[in-house]
Amino acid sequence: QVQLVESGGGLVQAGGSLRLSCAASERTFSNYAIGWFRQAPGTEREFVASISWNGDMPHYAEVVQGRFTISRDNAKNTVYLQMNSLKPEDTAVYYCAAVMKGGIEYNYWGQGTQVTVSS
């Protein structure tokens, strides 16, 4: 079972940057695709970005395309989400999740990290 721990959240002014990290406990981490999701108060959780097991298929939600970059370092069992040009509407709890190669649903979730962007 994969355990995921997010870090890197915080308070930043609009236009600023943050880098989130998602560290996994699983030594076969490279067998998992990883996704980032976010949930703001009163809203449903939404997809932000994902990356395949080998890192060559990043996908982004349209609202973050061109501002966020997802990457992974399998040697460190870590996936990153670099967030630039942050906007107040990016304020949310950010979660990372894992799905095994060939799987459909994200089975494993972290506890989330809060990102707050002030105007």
Side-chain angles (χ1 to χ4, degrees):
Q1 182 167 343
V2 181
Q3 293 184 331
L4 304 172
V5 178
E6 302 94 336
S7 62
L11 173 64
V12 64
Q13 289 187 334
S17 298
L18 284 174
R19 188 177 79 158
L20 305 184
S21 298
C22 173
S25 62
E26 177 59 48
R27 62 182 176 87
T28 58
F29 177 68
S30 59
N31 288 338
Y32 295 83
I34 302 295
W36 283 98
F37 297 79
R38 67 187 184 186
Q39 187 168 21
T43 69
E44 294 188 355
R45 186 171 58 199
E46 65 174 353
F47 169 79
V48 175
S50 65
I51 191 165
S52 61
W53 65 275
N54 62 357
D56 66 354
M57 293 178 59
H59 291 283
Y60 300 94
E62 188 173 337
V63 293
V64 306
Q65 181 80 44
R67 299 188 297 123
F68 291 11
T69 302
I70 189 170
S71 61
R72 68 187 297 159
D73 185 341
N74 286 341
K76 296 182 178 180
N77 285 4
T78 302
V79 169
Y80 305 98
L81 185 68
Q82 178 66 43
M83 307 186 296
N84 298 329
S85 302
L86 283 162
K87 306 175 181 180
E89 50 264 44
D90 293 318
T91 295
V93 177
Y94 283 70
Y95 301 89
C96 65
V99 54
M100 184 171 279
K101 193 190 313 181
I104 299 175
E105 293 186 8
Y106 287 92
N107 306 101
Y108 307 101
W109 292 82
Q111 83 290 347
T113 185
Q114 176 70 48
V115 171
T116 303
V117 184
S118 64
S119 57

